[in-house]
Amino acid sequence: MQRPLHEDFLLKETRPHLGGGRHTGDKLTSTYDLVEQMQYLYVRVVKAKELPAKDVTGSCDPYVEVKLGNYKGTTRHFEKKSNPEWNQVFAFSKDRLQASILEVTVKDKDFVKDDFMGRFLFDLNEVPKRVPPDSPLAPQWYRLEDRKGDKVKGELMLAVWMGTQADEAFPEAWHSDAATVTGTDGLSNIRSKVYLSPKLWYLRVNVIEAQDLQPSDKGRYPEVYVKATLGNQVLRTRVSPSRSINPMWNEDLMFVAAESFEEPLILSVEDRIAPNKDEVLGRCAIPIQYVDRRLDHRPVNTRWFNLERHVVVMEGEKKKETKFSSRIHMRICLEGGYHVLDESTHYSSDLRPTAKQLWKNSIGVLELGILNAQGLMPMKTKDGRGTTDAYCVAKYGQKWVRTRTIIDSFTPKWNEQYTWEVADPCTVITIGVFDNCHLHGGDKPGGARDSRIGKVRIRLSTLETDRVYTHSYPLLVLHPNGVKKMGEIHLAVRFACSSLLNMMHMYSQPLLPKMHYIHPLTVSQLDSLRHQATHIVSMRLSRAEPPLRKEIVEYMLDVGSHMWSMRRSKANFFRIMGVFGGLIAVGKWFDQICNWKNPITTVLIHILFIILVLYPELILPTIFLYLFLIGVWYYRWRPRHPPHMDTRLSHAESANPDELDEEFDTFPTSRPADIVRMRYDRLRSIAGRIQTVVGDLATQGERLQSLLSWRDPRATALFVLFCLIAAIVLYVTPFQVVALLTGFYVLRHPRFRHKLPSVPLNFFRRLPARTDCML
């Protein structure tokens, strides 16, 4: 009997054979303890000497061919060199060994037919095993033999051993399962790599005033504004209200700048002569590396900059002699106290400020084992059949990791393990699976794009510390024809805490750095700056070798998630209904009490009501004690698995084709009529804002629910313990004293108030919501 469709979208716990099976309870004891061991035959071809000459010049063009069954790998060849050095490693998967003899042959490159120079054979039963942290196996010289087994001139230095993916030679080795990939570019595109996001800063440009401007038309009042350009970011001030040659603005412009600050800030003062005609009154270019940096809200010094008719780059501390020029007065600084948001705030993996001087010590370590995938869908056609060349990308903080590509497999096995330092438990790691469309090089602009197979998000605060989670996550992607399961990915996750006290203390700290609260940015500024930050990150990572392409980075960073969608709006509405469902249930229960539906319960409520009226000091202790008992009672049903994508919560299963067509429509819309396009875009823009507000309201309500749900075990433990202590303290403290202290605290003088959020508010903002489960 076929299972219902929605059951295929559920999370499944697995029991993989991790770390070779050496473990104690949930704690494992080997180096690669979160992945299954994979055995490989490694062959390191180091160099050769005294190779026989094949021409009258006394030289040869040697290369080495390593052959095992049907698998054959070759080194590069050297022209006219009898003592070449290759130092190249070949790896053959033990699961696919097709022979018991390894053949290593030295050949001479020829245009017609390569000449045989000598070979050496290895019996695989005699190959030694190596387990890190053992030192690398020392290579040895082997005398070459002819096809009959007789010794010939020439020696080859080799090292042959059996090892695992923990071997240091594994990442850069030639792999037998990628034998069909050719070319240097193709091989570099399939290897595992680690990438680092560029260090991002907010650049604040406070435009104060200008002096001695020289407009061409002296007989009119100039309408002057300042245009600032940094890379592809262009911002303008308003037109100065003081229409004179000495205009004033006192306006802030915010940019995102990435180290190593390759592009200067270009400022131009312009006069709006006509609606579509502007006159440039002066320009200047300022290198970002010479700009002041600040870590707090203290103001930096202002500076006067000379304006030229042509762009002149300022030269550090050197001053240029000018007879007379217009000037502009500004305060420019790089803000190190903010966290530059390049991810959705719901799925942030890093919340630290830009300046490392403000970073606090890490509280733990996140370890991720990417095991394998099952049941992947064919993503492209090759030789008349469907195929998939899958790889994974994981992003947490500034560190991105990319696994090797498994060629032509619907059940790829990666078994790669990665580690991140954790500074805040209330963060999310994102793992995406993609199909590699660049196996044979040819990465041209506008060419093939790597296809998305699906992604998984895991919030660290929902994980118990030092527990190994092994689950199979469904890979779900929304298509114009509905939600589709693209396969499953098996992961092993462990969050280890170095200090439980420090981690508990984090729940009382502000979620974002202090500058976000002392000098907050507007919502429109944050949206614009996040768009610029994601663009910079995607462009910088696409310039790496091999590139982490733009479509991959944008998918991992959820670019476009703010766009209007009828499906998301419905989902957020029903999330709110789910939050208020508890209040509605209480109202119905109270209505039943009032209507004597259950006389015994109603009598007990009357007795409780009389007691609380006669002894009002018992009201608050009773409430907190009741919450404590509920929290302890719910502990039995606490979630034992990480959250995952919920298609019902996302309304992905029930979305109709028209709604999906609207969600996948381009922005601006592709509708032909201009009037319809204008109205349609306006509607989507307004509805997108409403959708965000509704989602935020739902998030706050779900955080209230998570206080006692044990979704975040540490937060619930803190709250339950607080309820017990509060119940005891309030029991022995007169109610009148509590009421007075509460009233005095609420009405306290502004001198005793602090700009940073309170500890309860910080704790509340760190609680998990169901946003992690949204598609």
Side-chain angles (χ1 to χ4, degrees):
M1 181 178 178
Q2 189 176 6
R3 294 181 302 172
L5 180 62
H6 64 83
E7 291 189 9
D8 289 334
F9 301 157
L10 297 179
L11 192 69
K12 302 170 187 174
E13 189 168 7
T14 58
R15 297 289 181 183
H17 195 64
L18 301 182
R22 293 172 292 178
H23 60 88
T24 305
D26 281 342
K27 294 187 178 180
L28 304 171
T29 57
S30 63
T31 305
Y32 272 51
D33 57 358
L34 292 185
V35 293
E36 295 179 313
Q37 277 194 0
M38 300 176 68
Q39 298 290 328
Y40 286 89
L41 171 67
Y42 289 98
V43 181
R44 181 185 294 277
V45 181
V46 183
K47 57 184 176 180
K49 67 179 181 179
E50 300 177 358
L51 295 178
K54 292 298 181 180
D55 56 23
V56 294
T57 62
S59 62
C60 57
D61 304 331
Y63 71 93
V64 177
E65 177 184 280
V66 182
K67 185 177 180 181
L68 184 63
N70 292 329
Y71 293 109
K72 181 171 63 176
T74 58
T75 67
R76 65 190 184 278
H77 79 279
F78 288 94
E79 294 185 2
K80 302 185 183 305
K81 196 170 185 180
S82 299
N83 299 305
E85 293 187 12
W86 294 282
N87 198 25
Q88 188 170 343
V89 180
F90 299 84
F92 298 87
S93 175
K94 188 177 180 181
D95 295 338
R96 299 185 180 182
L97 295 184
Q98 300 175 337
S100 59
I101 299 296
L102 172 69
E103 181 179 351
V104 183
T105 308
V106 181
K107 293 186 177 182
D108 184 23
K109 189 73 173 177
D110 192 271
F111 289 106
V112 181
K113 183 179 180 181
D114 295 349
D115 293 329
F116 175 88
M117 301 178 68
R119 70 178 182 181
F120 197 87
L121 303 178
F122 288 88
D123 185 352
L124 298 189
N125 294 323
E126 303 298 327
V127 173
K129 292 185 178 180
R130 176 187 174 243
V131 179
D134 290 350
S135 298
L137 188 68
Q140 301 180 37
W141 287 107
Y142 293 90
R143 185 76 176 270
L144 296 179
E145 303 173 350
D146 60 14
R147 290 188 174 92
K148 296 180 181 179
D150 298 329
K151 302 296 182 182
V152 298
K153 183 180 179 182
E155 292 183 78
L156 186 63
M157 181 178 278
L158 298 172
V160 182
W161 72 94
M162 293 294 299
T164 67
Q165 74 270 36
D167 202 295
E168 63 270 9
F170 179 80
E172 298 298 328
W174 174 94
H175 288 269
S176 58
D177 54 5
T180 58
V181 179
T182 58
T184 305
D185 292 340
L187 288 173
S188 67
N189 275 319
I190 67 172
R191 288 173 175 159
S192 56
K193 293 292 179 183
V194 175
Y195 303 83
L196 291 177
S197 295
K199 189 175 181 180
L200 301 178
W201 295 74
Y202 283 145
L203 175 67
R204 187 186 296 271
V205 181
N206 178 226
V207 183
I208 302 174
E209 60 180 333
Q211 284 187 355
D212 302 325
L213 299 180
Q214 299 176 2
S216 58
D217 186 359
K218 307 292 185 181
R220 57 179 289 273
Y221 293 109
E223 299 181 15
V224 185
Y225 65 93
V226 176
K227 181 172 75 173
T229 305
L230 181 64
N232 67 336
Q233 305 172 67
V234 180
L235 294 177
R236 294 176 174 84
T237 67
R238 67 187 188 280
V239 174
S240 173
S242 57
R243 298 188 176 185
S244 67
I245 61 173
N246 298 316
M248 298 187 66
W249 295 277
N250 196 23
E251 188 172 339
D252 276 355
L253 304 178
M254 296 290 290
F255 298 89
V256 177
E259 292 187 357
S260 54
F261 307 123
E262 299 171 356
E263 299 169 327
L265 173 68
I266 298 176
L267 291 153
S268 64
V269 181
E270 303 185 8
D271 181 15
R272 183 165 297 164
I273 300 174
N276 294 317
K277 185 178 179 182
D278 298 322
E279 179 191 9
V280 177
L281 303 181
R283 290 192 180 100
C284 69
I286 305 168
I288 305 301
Q289 58 265 32
Y290 300 118
V291 170
D292 293 333
R293 305 183 183 192
R294 71 172 184 176
L295 308 181
D296 50 26
H297 60 283
R298 298 173 187 172
V300 298
N301 295 328
T302 61
R303 291 181 61 187
W304 286 94
F305 297 90
N306 292 326
L307 296 173
E308 308 290 342
R309 289 292 181 176
H310 302 284
V311 175
V312 178
V313 178
M314 304 287 293
E315 299 178 1
E317 300 301 324
K318 297 180 181 179
K319 297 181 179 179
K320 296 191 64 179
E321 294 291 336
T322 54
K323 293 182 179 180
F324 178 81
S325 67
S326 304
R327 299 192 305 168
I328 186 169
H329 191 200
M330 293 187 297
R331 181 184 287 111
I332 305 177
C333 67
L334 288 166
E335 299 279 11
Y338 289 91
H339 170 69
V340 180
L341 294 166
D342 61 345
E343 305 168 282
S344 170
T345 53
H346 297 303
Y347 319 125
S348 290
S349 63
D350 188 12
L351 300 168
R352 295 173 296 181
T354 298
K356 286 191 175 182
Q357 300 94 310
L358 302 178
W359 288 9
K360 298 179 181 178
N361 294 332
S362 62
I363 60 165
V365 173
L366 170 66
E367 296 171 276
L368 172 68
I370 304 176
L371 303 179
N372 56 68
Q374 299 288 335
L376 297 184
M377 303 295 291
M379 302 301 295
K380 56 179 177 284
T381 303
K382 181 180 178 183
D383 299 329
R385 62 182 181 85
T387 182
T388 297
D389 306 312
Y391 67 93
C392 291
V393 174
K395 198 266 184 191
Y396 184 80
Q398 289 185 314
K399 179 179 173 182
W400 300 65
V401 299
R402 171 179 174 166
T403 68
R404 69 191 189 282
T405 300
I406 306 299
I407 309 300
D408 192 14
S409 175
F410 299 131
T411 57
K413 293 183 179 181
W414 294 286
N415 285 303
E416 298 184 23
Q417 185 169 337
Y418 299 95
T419 304
W420 289 267
E421 284 192 355
V422 177
D424 194 320
C426 303
T427 46
V428 176
I429 182 173
T430 304
I431 304 102
V433 185
F434 303 91
D435 175 51
N436 197 332
C437 297
H438 299 82
L439 296 181
H440 302 286
D443 189 15
K444 300 177 181 178
R449 294 164 57 92
D450 288 355
S451 304
R452 58 184 68 170
I453 298 178
K455 67 181 172 184
V456 174
R457 290 188 291 257
I458 302 174
R459 182 172 292 272
L460 271 59
S461 64
T462 62
L463 304 177
E464 299 177 12
T465 52
D466 296 318
R467 175 187 169 187
V468 178
Y469 289 84
T470 54
H471 291 86
S472 175
Y473 296 80
L475 297 171
L476 306 175
V477 174
L478 198 63
H479 290 283
N481 56 352
V483 66
K484 187 175 183 180
K485 181 180 177 181
M486 307 297 289
E488 298 178 357
I489 181 172
H490 294 191
L491 302 175
V493 185
R494 177 172 57 202
F495 174 37
C497 171
S498 57
S499 172
L500 182 62
L501 186 62
N502 288 342
M503 185 164 59
M504 293 298 190
H505 176 67
M506 287 298 300
Y507 282 87
S508 67
Q509 299 300 302
L511 196 64
L512 291 169
K514 294 180 180 179
M515 285 293 289
H516 284 271
Y517 306 101
I518 297 174
H519 282 294
L521 302 174
T522 65
V523 174
S524 59
Q525 274 183 319
L526 288 174
D527 288 342
S528 174
L529 293 172
R530 186 202 164 201
H531 173 75
Q532 296 299 334
T534 55
H535 178 76
I536 291 173
V537 171
S538 63
M539 289 298 101
R540 189 67 64 89
L541 293 180
S542 66
R543 289 164 50 189
E545 186 57 41
L548 196 62
R549 292 175 177 81
K550 186 171 182 282
E551 63 270 19
I552 306 301
V553 177
E554 290 183 347
Y555 182 59
M556 296 290 289
L557 295 180
D558 276 323
V559 174
S561 61
H562 63 286
M563 299 299 292
W564 158 255
S565 165
M566 180 68 76
R567 176 188 61 83
R568 285 198 191 97
S569 297
K570 284 184 177 179
N572 288 333
F573 173 77
F574 283 103
R575 284 171 63 199
I576 289 182
M577 295 303 295
V579 169
F580 289 121
L583 296 177
I584 296 173
V586 170
K588 291 180 178 179
W589 173 79
F590 188 72
D591 183 67
Q592 291 178 351
I593 295 297
C594 295
N595 288 290
W596 290 77
K597 298 288 185 179
N598 189 334
I600 297 178
T601 305
T602 303
V603 171
L604 292 176
I605 292 297
H606 276 78
I607 297 173
L608 178 62
F609 175 72
I610 294 171
I611 293 174
L612 294 179
V613 169
L614 294 178
Y615 303 97
E617 63 273 11
L618 296 179
I619 295 177
L620 289 178
T622 302
I623 293 175
F624 281 107
L625 186 60
Y626 182 61
L627 292 175
F628 168 76
L629 294 175
I630 292 177
V632 173
W633 180 256
Y634 279 173
Y635 181 79
R636 299 170 55 191
W637 296 284
R638 68 191 184 280
R640 300 295 294 170
H641 308 297
H644 66 288
M645 304 293 186
D646 192 330
T647 54
R648 286 186 172 176
L649 178 69
S650 306
H651 275 251
E653 295 180 359
S654 59
N656 60 54
D658 180 64
E659 293 174 357
L660 293 175
D661 177 69
E662 182 183 36
E663 183 169 346
F664 283 91
D665 187 17
T666 57
F667 189 86
T669 179
S670 57
R671 300 298 184 268
D674 293 339
I675 296 177
V676 173
R677 181 179 293 112
M678 182 271 294
R679 293 177 178 175
Y680 188 51
D681 291 345
R682 181 176 60 188
L683 175 63
R684 292 174 72 184
S685 177
I686 295 173
R689 297 177 188 175
I690 297 174
Q691 166 187 303
T692 303
V693 172
V694 171
D696 290 340
L697 290 174
T699 297
Q700 307 311 318
E702 288 169 351
R703 283 173 176 165
L704 277 174
Q705 290 181 328
S706 66
L707 281 172
L708 299 173
S709 69
W710 295 94
R711 178 73 277 173
D712 182 344
R714 287 163 292 277
T716 303
L718 282 174
F719 182 73
V720 168
L721 185 61
F722 167 76
C723 291
L724 177 61
I725 296 173
I728 296 173
V729 171
L730 293 173
Y731 183 81
V732 299
T733 306
F735 177 77
Q736 292 83 351
V737 175
V738 175
L740 283 174
L741 292 176
T742 303
F744 287 152
Y745 177 79
V746 173
L747 300 174
R748 69 192 184 280
H749 192 273
R751 179 180 299 177
F752 301 105
R753 297 180 184 272
H754 204 270
K755 289 186 177 181
L756 294 180
S758 62
V759 170
L761 188 58
N762 292 332
F763 179 85
F764 180 78
R765 286 176 175 172
R766 290 178 172 275
L767 293 171
R770 302 191 71 189
T771 49
D772 305 332
C773 304
M774 292 284 291
L775 273 177

